Amino acid sequence: MSLLHRPDGLPKGPSLLASIHDVGPRSEGAVDQLSELFLRHIGAPRYAMLVVPDHWGSAPLVPGTPFATRLRGWADSGIEMFLHGWFHRDVSEHASASARFKAKHMTAGEGEFLGLDYATARDRMERGRALVEDIIGRPVTGFIAPAWLYGDGAREALRDLGFALAEDHFRVWAPQQADRVLAKGPVITWASRSKSRIASSLAVAAIARALLPRRPAMRLGVHPGDVTVPALLTSIDKTLGALSKGGRFGQYRELLETH
């Protein structure tokens, strides 16, 4: 049965999930711009923010600062908060060819949790969750690794620490429920770091708007760098508009409720 409707015809779960990645003090202006874009189409703060405690080791999230106050205000308004790594930067030495390929070609040195051992992954998750939850005054909704890349150590730490939700490129799952999959399908996202990636992400988004059928819990993720490329902002705007016709933007936690 679809997540969209119960037998009585009433909405049962979200058909669309939207998120802003890499939220931190350095990205505040871009986050504001993306939030305004989301609100124009969603109409309410039914989206998620992925918070980085110390982006690349040079943008720490500090309790009591104006940005920390804004983060709590966003959470109070209803925006879901996910822990999104610690540094976001990947400095690991990857042992396997598969991991080296992912680290080189799927992200520009951003897959922090791909090569971490269990102890290091757990430590960063624990410290990050404690920091973010202290600032927002409530539990985080879950953990999403930078660049959606997880190594074995990160996956094991996720289960042991009891995070309710996690997400990668192709699924959303419940780590504390034996990794039960709650939603499937690729996330629609954009890339701004090169002309070729800009062109390919614009093409994929156009295909998604025109050809892909709407399915339960379709996901859309944006990044602060997207605001630096006008063509990407236009594409995000068009994609939000196209997906919202007949669909309902919801929240990740609803996936747990509908399952």
Side-chain angles (χ1 to χ4, degrees):
M1 179 174 60
S2 168
L3 291 180
L4 293 178
H5 297 285
R6 299 200 305 258
D8 58 7
L10 296 175
K12 184 178 181 183
S15 57
L16 305 164
L17 298 167
S19 59
I20 300 174
H21 290 226
D22 304 348
V23 174
R26 183 181 293 158
S27 63
E28 184 175 4
V31 171
D32 281 335
Q33 193 171 348
L34 292 167
S35 292
E36 290 175 5
L37 185 58
F38 275 16
L39 288 171
R40 188 156 68 242
H41 290 282
I42 300 172
R46 290 192 301 272
Y47 55 94
M49 289 185 177
L50 279 54
V51 184
V52 183
D54 188 5
H55 196 272
W56 281 56
S58 58
L61 180 60
V62 180
T65 59
F67 182 79
T69 299
R70 292 209 69 196
L71 196 65
R72 182 160 190 151
W74 283 325
D76 288 344
S77 75
I79 296 171
E80 289 184 296
M81 296 289 166
F82 282 83
L83 177 63
H84 191 43
W86 179 269
F87 294 118
H88 206 287
R89 186 178 185 182
D90 176 17
V91 295
S92 301
E93 293 292 334
H94 300 286
S96 71
S98 173
R100 289 194 298 272
F101 178 85
K102 291 178 180 178
K104 181 177 180 180
H105 296 288
M106 295 182 68
T107 179
E110 302 272 356
E112 177 187 6
F113 278 73
L114 178 61
L116 297 184
D117 59 48
Y118 171 83
T120 305
R122 177 171 181 140
D123 175 66
R124 293 186 190 182
M125 288 179 186
E126 286 184 311
R127 290 190 292 122
R129 180 165 64 182
L131 174 63
V132 174
E133 290 183 348
D134 177 61
I135 288 173
I136 65 175
R138 70 200 70 214
V140 295
T141 299
F143 176 88
I144 297 175
W148 292 289
L149 294 174
Y150 302 78
D152 292 338
R155 285 188 287 267
E156 185 180 354
L158 266 176
R159 290 189 290 268
D160 288 351
L161 291 176
F163 282 98
L165 289 168
E167 172 187 84
D168 63 18
H169 283 95
F170 298 104
R171 64 183 180 132
V172 180
W173 74 94
Q176 63 179 353
Q177 298 179 21
D179 291 345
R180 186 161 60 98
V181 176
L182 306 177
K184 292 182 179 180
V187 61
I188 302 170
T189 189
W190 291 261
S192 61
R193 66 179 182 266
S194 70
K195 290 183 178 179
S196 62
R197 291 184 181 273
I198 289 171
S200 62
S201 60
L202 290 173
V204 170
I207 292 170
R209 292 194 300 269
L211 300 178
L212 293 180
R214 183 174 289 108
R215 57 185 298 160
M218 285 186 68
R219 293 173 291 142
L220 180 149
V222 299
H223 296 78
D226 296 339
V227 308
T228 65
V229 183
L232 293 184
L233 278 178
T234 299
S235 177
I236 294 167
D237 187 39
K238 289 180 178 179
T239 305
L240 283 166
L243 292 179
S244 63
K245 294 177 181 177
R248 181 176 75 84
F249 282 94
Q251 295 184 306
Y252 280 81
R253 65 173 64 96
E254 293 178 65
L255 296 176
L256 292 168
E257 299 166 1
T258 56
H259 284 71

